[in-house]
Amino acid sequence: MKLALYLPNFRDEVTVKELEDLTALAEDLDFDSVWTLDRVIVPEKSDRAEMEYPFGMMDGLPNGLPVISRGKWFQGWPLIPWLAAKTTKLRIGMSITNTPFRGPAVLATELATVDHLSGGRLNVGVGSGWMPEEFAAASVAHLFPRRHAHVRDTLEIMQGIWNNDLYEHHSEFADFELSGFGHKPLQDPLPIYFSGLKDPKRSAKRIAKYGLNGWIGIQDSPEDIRRWKGEMERELNELGREFPADFQMCSMIWTVITDEPLDQSDNGKVTNLLAGTAQQIEDRLKAYKEAGMTMPLIWPPFRDVPTSKTMDDLKRITEEIMPKVNAS
């Protein structure tokens, strides 16, 4: 099992220095990758839990974000080339790039450029987004009902640009004549991770059609991972396909080591999955491994846990806990 760090660029307050320190430690500890979060706004009505949908459209969560509207966070995409310059070993990516906020051809050329800047260490995460208020702030409110189709079209365009010397495309979301787009990505293929949190069938179709390299969920229990992987595998088999080689099964999971045991009984997405004593976290990671997870994205809490504590936890997870997990 690999480890990834989900940088806390989205929290009540975070500094560049904190992100820099966490990234440097992840590299020192030989983490596989670091990821950022794509967040444009926190609506003021989120503070009153009056948003149209709960966080991530996940059942059991309030209709508000876990970060205050007056918080001081950083947008995830500008951090990617900065991370490329700050690291030499870590893979880097944004989980998940909401494709409707970006022109597909522009995104394709930016990703190719960053892959070169990083020496071929870029992971590409794509998804549809879920917050109508954010679509409005990004000036693409009209795309919200068609956001899943936009992801599909973006995948078509990105791979068309990367795999052809010249490429043209004519669809609902992009219409351009035969053109060149500069450098191809250094990696061939550039690994793409998909985030589809509601429909295993849709995820399986994306994986089969586009040869995607991974799936990323949010706050998934071991039982969730086993169910998602099993359902996607069945859908792939019906399509006459299998998971690609080295397919990564991932989830972003809030993580903190505590002195006293925490209640980890099932309470949906708000269950303490990787929050608890070192023994509880070891047991949970063993269960994830058994269920088929290949890479948890360790996600520091949104507030109340200082970066220094998170750094201590990362060291303990790497040096004390993971050797026992991987030996199981």
Side-chain angles (χ1 to χ4, degrees):
M1 180 182 279
K2 303 176 181 178
L3 284 179
L5 172 63
Y6 202 38
L7 282 175
N9 63 285
F10 181 60
R11 67 191 312 179
D12 281 355
E13 185 167 0
V14 67
T15 66
V16 169
K17 182 65 165 57
E18 289 176 301
L19 299 179
E20 186 174 32
D21 289 346
L22 286 164
T23 300
L25 179 61
E27 177 134 306
D28 288 344
L29 295 175
D30 290 325
F31 271 49
D32 173 83
S33 49
V34 292
W35 301 75
T36 66
L37 185 144
D38 192 10
R39 182 91 295 125
V40 178
I41 67 164
V42 174
E44 190 273 336
K45 64 182 179 181
S46 167
D47 298 342
R48 304 188 301 275
E50 294 176 358
M51 290 173 56
E52 186 168 346
Y53 297 109
F55 180 57
M57 291 186 173
M58 294 188 293
D59 295 336
L61 295 183
N63 287 38
L65 291 162
V67 170
I68 58 174
S69 60
R70 289 175 172 80
K72 296 179 175 64
W73 69 88
F74 292 111
Q75 215 287 326
W77 174 241
L79 293 171
I80 299 301
W82 178 77
L83 289 168
K86 287 286 183 181
T87 58
T88 60
K89 298 182 296 182
L90 285 168
R91 299 190 62 80
I92 54 177
M94 185 160 72
S95 175
I96 290 294
T97 303
N98 296 317
T99 71
F101 301 167
R102 297 160 178 92
V106 175
L107 180 61
T109 58
E110 290 176 338
L111 293 171
T113 298
V114 173
D115 199 40
H116 280 266
L117 293 175
S118 66
R121 293 184 287 121
L122 182 65
N123 290 333
V124 178
V126 297
S128 62
W130 59 270
M131 193 200 308
E133 298 90 343
E134 195 162 50
F135 277 67
S139 301
V140 289
H142 62 289
L143 293 181
F144 186 77
R146 298 286 294 154
R147 62 194 185 279
H148 299 300
H150 192 279
V151 175
R152 183 176 62 246
D153 216 40
T154 297
L155 289 167
E156 294 270 3
I157 292 167
M158 291 195 304
Q159 293 188 336
I161 288 172
W162 297 337
N163 295 329
N164 296 279
D165 290 335
L166 300 175
Y167 180 69
E168 65 178 306
H169 189 88
H170 306 281
S171 69
E172 176 184 356
F173 305 107
D175 189 0
F176 53 86
E177 301 298 330
L178 196 65
S179 304
F181 292 85
H183 272 289
K184 308 303 180 191
L186 203 56
Q187 299 175 87
D188 184 17
L190 191 55
I192 301 176
Y193 291 64
F194 179 69
S195 180
L197 304 179
K198 293 289 186 181
D199 186 353
K201 189 170 185 177
R202 179 187 293 129
S203 296
K205 285 182 175 179
R206 298 285 190 271
I207 293 163
K209 184 172 183 179
Y210 301 109
L212 306 186
N213 301 86
W215 176 88
I216 300 178
I218 299 178
Q219 279 290 103
D220 298 285
S221 68
E223 292 73 23
D224 293 331
I225 293 294
R226 184 177 288 107
R227 176 179 61 83
W228 268 91
K229 188 172 184 180
E231 291 185 18
M232 287 194 292
E233 190 167 34
R234 283 192 292 274
E235 294 292 341
L236 285 168
N237 290 340
E238 288 185 12
L239 296 168
R241 302 289 292 276
E242 297 178 346
F243 281 115
D246 298 322
F247 187 84
Q248 299 299 320
M249 195 76 186
C250 316
S251 187
M252 302 172 280
I253 310 174
W254 302 319
T255 306
V256 62
I257 299 176
T258 60
D259 294 329
E260 299 297 326
L262 295 183
D263 180 7
Q264 293 188 333
S265 56
D266 186 11
N267 191 23
K269 294 293 185 180
V270 296
T271 300
N272 291 314
L273 293 166
L274 278 178
T277 64
Q279 185 62 58
Q280 285 182 302
I281 289 177
E282 177 189 330
D283 292 342
R284 183 73 77 170
L285 285 170
K286 288 178 178 177
Y288 278 125
K289 181 184 174 185
E290 176 67 24
M293 180 184 284
T294 62
M295 187 169 70
L297 274 60
I298 303 301
W299 193 353
F302 294 103
R303 60 176 65 87
D304 299 330
V305 176
T307 295
S308 58
K309 163 63 174 165
T310 294
M311 294 177 71
D312 288 341
D313 287 353
L314 294 178
K315 293 174 186 176
R316 292 188 66 188
I317 291 170
T318 304
E319 297 167 359
E320 300 175 19
I321 296 174
M322 286 306 297
K324 300 174 185 176
V325 173
N326 287 327
S328 65

